[in-house]
Amino acid sequence: MAPTEALPAFKPIINTDRDHDANVTEEFDVGKHLAFEPPSQIIQMRDIGHKEDHGVSPVAVSQPFQLFSQSAIQQMRNEIFKPEVLENCKYKSDIAASQLRGYAPKYGPFTYDAWTNPKTLDIISKIAGVDLVPAIDLDIGHINLSVKSEEQTRKEIDTIDQQKRFFEDDEGISGCPWEDDKPIVGWHTDSYPFVAVLMLSDCTNMVGGETALRTGNGEVLKVRGPGMGCAVVMQGRYITHQALRALGAQERITSVTSFRPRSPFKKDDVNLTTVRPISDLSDLYLQFGEYRLEIMEERIREQLKQIREKRRAGKPLNIGAFKDFLKEQTGFLSHTNEEIIESRETIQEKLMEATGEINNLPNKRAKLA
């Protein structure tokens, strides 16, 4: 798919002129670039009205936690603003208006190394409650962009300040109760089991920007948005969610990396509905097909090992269990085939059908986690 939409022109709010390392290309270094601090809370699936076995882990979502240093974020920003990335990797969809994807590792070696480093994977896996690996290269460091003019930003800040003053004068309490529920990314479920959402923007003046989750009983739960260098880990394949608009900042740039279980014996019901319209289909299906066949290969190899051991030991075959295995793998192959769709018209229809069903569901009053 050849992306054609131009991104709005804007001045990044991280002033790289003041950072003498801003234009220096570095290799990912765990000691320098990881700045991990554990999350204050990890919300479980049962806490939001889902069964613990609803997905691949009992974990639903973490509170924001520090993951990368500012120098790491600067390197990632340098990569996404390369002319070749802006020229070749821009997409938009019905879910999000401005996106960059498929740039790592070709144009983004630092980003690729950061997310595939064993230490990073260990951190993400422990928070998620399951051993994870990046789903496919195409979905490492997917960028969602929300950009405003300086005039729009000033007006938002003035409005926020007015609301703060009104609240303090009326209630005698410092704060800003004003909420904005307009999404930057609409209601959806992710294609892959887990995502790590990393903030690449300065959030100093930002109000809003939460992730809204639809719970099992239809309520909406808001999880605080991450600050620069901070991440949120979420089991987004099994939780309907949306990213709410951030006010008071000229940009909101998030980097989303998708994950799946490392074990080939875990459930894998990846659904490509949201990523097909914003992907080169050949690249997507090559990477999707490769890892799905690798899972099948490992499952068959393990089953073959068990059958050989039984035959050599003179033990009988559990025919029922063997047929269950064959039925499960038949379904796995059938699902893989169903996800590979050639027609662009059919792809768009499926996306509209999926998002339409989700967005027509009623919402109950939002709560803040």
Side-chain angles (χ1 to χ4, degrees):
M1 177 179 179
T4 58
E5 289 295 319
L7 295 174
F10 75 106
K11 188 184 300 180
I13 60 177
I14 297 178
N15 190 341
T16 57
D17 292 338
R18 293 200 300 262
D19 185 349
H20 69 279
D21 292 327
N23 296 316
V24 177
T25 300
E26 300 179 358
E27 292 185 357
F28 181 74
D29 182 294
V30 169
K32 179 177 181 180
H33 296 121
L34 268 183
F36 174 60
E37 295 178 10
S40 61
Q41 181 188 21
I42 298 176
I43 299 170
Q44 305 295 309
M45 293 293 275
R46 65 174 179 269
D47 297 332
I48 60 171
H50 291 299
K51 294 182 178 179
E52 288 194 349
D53 61 355
H54 181 59
V56 298
S57 166
V59 170
V61 61
S62 74
Q63 291 291 356
F65 61 95
Q66 190 71 39
L67 181 59
F68 293 115
S69 67
Q70 182 164 342
S71 61
I73 298 304
Q74 185 62 65
Q75 290 296 313
M76 293 178 181
R77 287 176 63 92
N78 289 349
E79 289 184 339
I80 66 173
F81 290 122
K82 288 178 179 178
E84 53 267 38
V85 171
L86 298 175
E87 181 179 351
N88 298 310
C89 304
K90 299 190 302 290
Y91 293 91
K92 74 169 188 175
S93 73
D94 292 341
I95 294 177
S98 297
Q99 301 168 313
L100 300 171
R101 56 188 275 106
Y103 62 90
K106 183 178 180 180
Y107 303 126
F110 183 93
T111 298
Y112 182 85
D113 290 344
W115 286 113
T116 58
N117 185 276
K119 182 64 175 176
T120 307
L121 293 178
D122 183 59
I123 290 170
I124 300 299
S125 296
K126 286 180 178 177
I127 293 172
V130 60
D131 193 12
L132 298 174
V133 294
I136 58 175
D137 287 356
L138 194 60
D139 280 291
I140 291 177
H142 167 106
I143 299 296
N144 289 321
L145 292 150
S146 175
V147 181
K148 304 164 194 168
S149 69
E150 292 183 1
E151 182 180 357
Q152 287 176 310
T153 306
R154 279 197 302 271
K155 287 181 179 179
E156 288 183 356
I157 292 174
D158 289 343
T159 303
I160 292 169
D161 288 342
Q162 289 174 9
Q163 291 289 325
K164 285 181 178 179
R165 287 194 295 271
F166 173 80
F167 190 47
E168 290 170 1
D169 293 342
D170 190 52
E171 304 290 342
I173 301 172
S174 177
C176 180
W178 184 38
E179 295 182 355
D180 184 279
D181 288 336
K182 294 179 180 178
I184 173 180
V185 178
W187 286 111
H188 67 287
T189 55
D190 295 332
S191 288
Y192 308 99
F194 270 92
V195 292
V197 182
L198 173 70
M199 178 60 72
L200 299 186
S201 294
D202 184 352
C203 302
T204 302
N205 296 318
M206 193 179 292
V207 174
E210 300 97 341
T211 297
L213 313 178
R214 184 174 281 144
T215 68
N217 60 12
E219 292 184 339
V220 175
L221 179 73
K222 291 182 181 179
V223 176
R224 181 168 51 90
M228 188 174 70
C230 295
V232 168
V233 170
M234 179 174 62
Q235 195 168 188
R237 173 72 183 92
Y238 305 100
I239 303 170
T240 301
H241 59 282
Q242 66 176 3
L244 298 180
R245 190 171 63 151
L247 303 174
Q250 193 175 344
E251 59 164 59
R252 183 181 189 270
I253 304 176
T254 55
S255 172
V256 183
T257 296
S258 299
F259 295 89
R260 57 182 173 85
R262 185 187 299 272
S263 171
F265 306 105
K266 284 279 190 181
K267 176 170 67 172
D268 190 291
D269 54 2
V270 165
N271 184 306
L272 300 179
T273 298
T274 59
V275 296
R276 286 193 209 96
I278 52 172
S279 300
D280 179 282
L281 292 183
S282 178
D283 286 346
L284 176 63
Y285 294 156
L286 277 172
Q287 295 181 32
F288 173 70
E290 179 180 12
Y291 101 75
R292 294 282 288 190
L293 291 176
E294 285 174 349
I295 288 177
M296 177 66 77
E297 181 182 25
E298 290 299 318
R299 291 178 177 180
I300 290 175
R301 182 177 285 115
E302 176 60 26
Q303 185 69 25
L304 179 58
K305 176 185 175 183
Q306 294 178 21
I307 287 178
R308 283 173 172 164
E309 288 175 350
K310 286 182 180 294
R311 185 176 64 82
R312 289 167 183 162
K315 295 180 179 180
L317 174 68
N318 185 328
I319 297 175
F322 185 49
K323 287 183 69 65
D324 287 343
F325 170 80
L326 295 175
K327 182 179 180 180
E328 181 181 351
Q329 305 323 309
T330 300
F332 184 87
L333 279 177
S334 177
H335 179 73
T336 304
N337 182 43
E338 290 169 359
E339 290 302 309
I340 298 176
I341 299 173
E342 295 181 85
S343 166
R344 281 287 175 191
E345 289 74 19
T346 304
I347 288 171
Q348 191 62 27
E349 288 172 4
K350 283 187 173 292
L351 177 63
M352 293 175 66
E353 178 182 324
T355 55
E357 290 176 357
I358 290 173
N359 283 285
N360 284 331
L361 292 173
N363 291 328
K364 296 183 182 179
R365 185 180 178 86
K367 298 189 297 182
L368 187 62

